[in-house]
Amino acid sequence: MSNPIATDEPDGFRVGLARGELMVMSCSPCEAVLDYSARYCTVCGSPEIRWRKASGKAELRCVVEMSVSYTLELPAPFLIASVKLEEGPHLLAPYIGFWESAYGGQPVAAQFENGGFHFRSVAA
Amino acid sequence: MTGHPIAAITGLGFSALSRKPGSSVRRLACDAVRDAAADGGLPLSSIDGLLLNRSPIEPFETLPLSVRRDLGLGDLRLLASIEGEGSSVVQMIQYAALAIQAGMAERVACVFADAPITANVNAGKTFAIALPITGIEDWESEIGFLGAAPAFALVAARYMALYGATPEDFGNWAIAERQWAMLNPRAFLKKPLSMDDYLASRPIARPLRMLDCAYPVNGAVAFIVGKVEVAAAARPPVYIHGMGQGHSGCPAFSDHEPEFDNGAAMAGRIAYAMAGVGPVDVSSAQFYAPFSCAGIVALENYGFCKRGEGAGFVSAGNIAPGGTLPVNTGGGMLSGFYLQGATSICEAVIQTRGEGGQRQVTNDVVLATGLGGRQEHHGALILSPHASLT
C-alpha cells in the first residue's frame, strides 16, 4: 500500500495521478466509496473524507470525440470517455481507441503512459 | 388551488434579434421591456417589479440592477437578478407569479438578454467554457472537455449506448424543428433541411453534429407577469396554471444515469399536479432543448413516452407539423433562435395567445420548460388561454 494522501488534501486526485495512481474518495469512518462531487459522506454524513487507490478497472459508459480545437495545447480530434469505476464513481478521462468501435459496457482500464493518464479497452 | 390560475403573462416584448454584434446586453434588455410594456397596453411606469436574467457565463455587470434606472422606472416593490442557469427565465416567471399571488407586486417585468456574438469571436468559442461534471475541480478544462456541446454529446452518446438510437433519430429532431421554423417569421434558419444535409454537417463533439446544436443570436425577450383579474381584460390572456422546478440530486455513481434522471421529471410532476393536468392533456410542448438529444430526453422526462422511446417517438413524426404532439413550434433553439430560456417561453406565450399564424396549433394546455447547466436544473410552466382547466 502506498503512502496515504492526507485527508485534508483537496486535490488528492491529482496528487495520486502525479504518482501514477488513480484515486477515489472514501469515508474514513464508514469506508463507503463516494462520487467525486461528494464533500461529506453520503452514507453516514461524516466530513472525514480520504483518498484511496482505485483498482483502475472500469466499465465504459460512452465516448465523446472532441471534434473542434479550442486550445493550442489540445488539438482536435481527441476522445473523452465516461467510465464507471469498479468502485462505483463515474469519471471523465482521456480515452485511447476509436470512437466508432467504443461501446457501452466494454471493460476498460486506467493506464499511465508517457506521463499521461487515460483509459483504454482491455480484454473482458 | 387546482383549476385556478396563479397569475398571468400579460405582455411579451422583443428587442431586435441579430447574428451580428451590435447593442449591449443592457440596451437589448431595455428595448425588450419597453416593447413588452407597450404590448401589455399599459404605461412603462405601471411596472412595479423587475427581474433580470443575464447569461450565466456573463459577469453581473452586463445586466446590473441599475437597468431599473436606464428604464426610468420609479420605486419598485420587487427587484432582483435571478440565476438558475438555463432554467432562469422559467424561474423569473415563477417568482414573479408567486410575488403577485402573495400581494407583493402587481406587474412584474421579467427580462432575459444576451449578446454572445461579438466581433472576431464566434459563438462556439463564446460558449466553450467547461461545465463542471465530475466534481473534480477544473478537471473538465484540464482534459479539454470544453463547452456545452461535449456535455450534451455525453447525453447523446450514452443514449445511443443504452437505447440504440441512431444519428437519423437526432436528425429527425433537427428536421422537425426546421419544418416548424419555416412557418415562423422570427426564425433564423428556414432553408429546407434534408437528412442528407443533416448527416453531412460537420462534427462538433461526436456524436453531435453542427446541426444538432443551438443557433445563438444577440437579443432580449421580456415578459410582463400580472394579476389574474387584470389578465381577464387582456386580449388574449395567458394564464399560469402550473409551475414546478427540479434540480438533480442524481449522483454520478454506480448504475445511476445522471444524463437522464436529471430533475426534469420532478419539475413536470409538480407543474402538472398544480394545474390538474397530465401529459395526455398537453396541446403543445415548448422545450428548452439546446441540442437535439436534450429534446428527446425531455419528451421522456415530461411523460410523453417511456425511457428509451423518445428517439422512436421523434422519428415516427410525432413532434413535426401535423404530428400528435407539436413540439417547439417556433423552430426551437436549433432553427428558430437560441436565447436560452426565452426561446421556449416566448413561443409558449405566442401559441397560448393564438398568435402563431401559419404554425398555430391547438392551445388549451401549453407546456413550457427551462433547462440549465448540463441538464441538472429544470423549470416548467403550464399555460392556458382558459381561466379554468376543470
Side-chain angles (χ1 to χ4, degrees):
Chain A
M1 175 105 181
S2 57
N3 294 329
I5 294 170
T7 55
D8 59 352
E9 170 55 73
D11 212 7
F13 182 76
R14 288 184 180 82
V15 172
L17 287 188
R19 60 189 200 195
E21 294 177 347
L22 176 62
M23 310 301 285
V24 290
M25 294 163 70
S26 77
C27 173
S28 280
C30 83
E31 301 195 337
V33 175
L34 306 172
D35 77 82
Y36 285 109
S37 68
R39 297 298 177 262
Y40 297 89
C41 177
T42 47
V43 176
C44 76
S46 169
E48 290 174 46
I49 308 289
R50 67 190 175 93
W51 291 93
R52 97 177 190 211
K53 191 180 169 188
S55 70
K57 291 181 188 165
E59 178 186 307
L60 190 64
R61 298 182 74 247
C62 57
V63 174
V64 167
E65 178 197 80
M66 296 301 296
S67 319
V68 177
S69 302
Y70 294 109
T71 64
L72 292 174
E73 297 75 28
L74 288 166
F78 58 93
L79 303 178
I80 301 288
S82 169
V83 303
K84 180 175 76 177
L85 301 180
E86 188 176 50
E87 293 78 7
H90 298 184
L91 179 63
L92 292 176
Y95 180 77
I96 305 295
F98 298 95
W99 185 82
E100 292 82 355
S101 57
Y103 61 90
Q106 209 166 359
V108 294
Q111 296 186 332
F112 293 85
E113 287 174 338
N114 309 321
F117 154 68
H118 51 251
F119 279 84
R120 191 191 284 272
S121 139
V122 292
Chain B
M1 293 297 289
T2 298
H4 187 78
I6 302 144
I9 297 173
T10 56
L12 171 66
F14 291 85
S15 71
L17 308 184
S18 172
R19 276 289 280 187
K20 297 200 179 83
S23 301
S24 69
V25 169
R26 196 167 164 161
R27 178 56 193 259
L28 292 167
C30 292
D31 288 352
V33 172
R34 289 166 60 93
D35 191 47
D39 174 71
L42 287 167
L44 192 66
S45 59
S46 70
I47 288 170
D48 63 0
L50 178 64
L51 296 178
L52 306 168
N53 173 205
R54 71 186 189 286
S55 168
I57 61 176
E58 294 296 332
F60 174 75
E61 291 72 31
T62 55
L63 200 59
L65 298 183
S66 49
V67 165
R68 180 191 68 83
R69 287 198 304 236
D70 302 357
L71 283 163
L73 297 172
D75 291 347
L76 292 179
R77 294 160 59 166
L78 193 72
L79 175 63
S81 180
I82 301 296
E83 168 43 28
E85 305 241 10
S87 68
S88 305
V89 172
V90 168
Q91 289 198 27
M92 284 196 295
I93 291 172
Q94 292 177 344
Y95 299 136
L98 292 172
I100 287 162
Q101 191 184 39
M104 275 181 71
E106 294 194 352
R107 227 167 102 78
V108 179
C110 301
V111 61
F112 171 82
D114 193 21
I117 318 288
T118 56
N120 306 319
V121 181
N122 71 26
K125 196 106 181 166
T126 301
F127 289 104
I129 289 171
L131 301 181
I133 294 176
T134 56
I136 301 163
E137 203 78 16
D138 296 329
W139 178 242
E140 289 75 15
S141 336
E142 192 171 326
I143 61 173
F145 205 70
L146 297 173
F152 283 82
L154 202 59
V155 175
R158 184 63 180 157
Y159 194 94
M160 292 170 86
L162 284 183
Y163 307 117
T166 63
E168 285 79 5
D169 291 326
F170 300 116
N172 281 322
W173 176 279
I175 290 168
E177 286 203 332
R178 182 63 59 88
Q179 289 169 345
W180 284 116
M182 290 164 68
L183 306 174
N184 178 7
R186 207 175 257 120
F188 275 71
L189 299 179
K190 292 195 272 200
K191 197 177 138 209
L193 176 64
S194 71
M195 186 59 79
D196 285 346
D197 297 335
Y198 167 80
L199 292 171
S201 83
R202 69 186 171 94
I204 297 294
R206 282 207 286 176
L208 297 189
R209 293 168 163 79
M210 195 179 70
L211 292 177
D212 287 306
C213 304
Y215 191 80
V217 302
N218 290 1
V221 182
F223 305 87
I224 308 288
V225 183
K227 293 163 73 172
V228 170
E229 303 77 52
V230 175
R235 283 288 176 270
V238 177
Y239 295 106
I240 303 169
H241 283 273
M243 318 196 295
Q245 290 184 22
H247 302 275
S248 175
C250 182
F253 194 83
S254 188
D255 292 334
H256 291 292
E257 297 289 345
E259 290 82 5
F260 311 125
D261 295 328
N262 58 25
M266 173 185 275
R269 265 197 316 274
I270 296 168
Y272 287 141
M274 196 178 292
V277 300
V280 69
D281 303 307
V282 170
S283 322
S284 77
Q286 311 296 339
F287 290 127
Y288 187 126
F291 300 91
S292 48
C293 57
I296 288 171
V297 175
L299 282 165
E300 299 173 4
N301 282 332
Y302 283 97
F304 299 103
C305 39
K306 295 198 180 82
R307 178 70 72 226
E309 295 179 356
F313 187 82
V314 170
S315 286
N318 287 296
I319 69 164
T324 59
L325 178 72
V327 170
N328 293 0
T329 51
M333 294 174 164
L334 275 51
S335 288
F337 55 85
Y338 176 62
L339 274 177
Q340 303 196 16
T343 300
S344 50
I345 313 305
C346 74
E347 180 62 14
V349 171
I350 289 167
Q351 283 289 340
T352 306
R353 287 176 160 189
E355 294 176 349
Q358 277 190 288
R359 69 187 192 280
Q360 182 65 44
V361 292
T362 313
N363 65 354
D364 296 309
V365 177
V366 178
L367 169 68
T369 75
L371 168 158
R374 39 91 50 151
Q375 293 204 113
E376 70 267 59
H377 305 292
H378 296 268
L381 296 171
I382 303 286
L383 306 177
S384 175
H386 310 302
S388 172
L389 290 182
T390 54

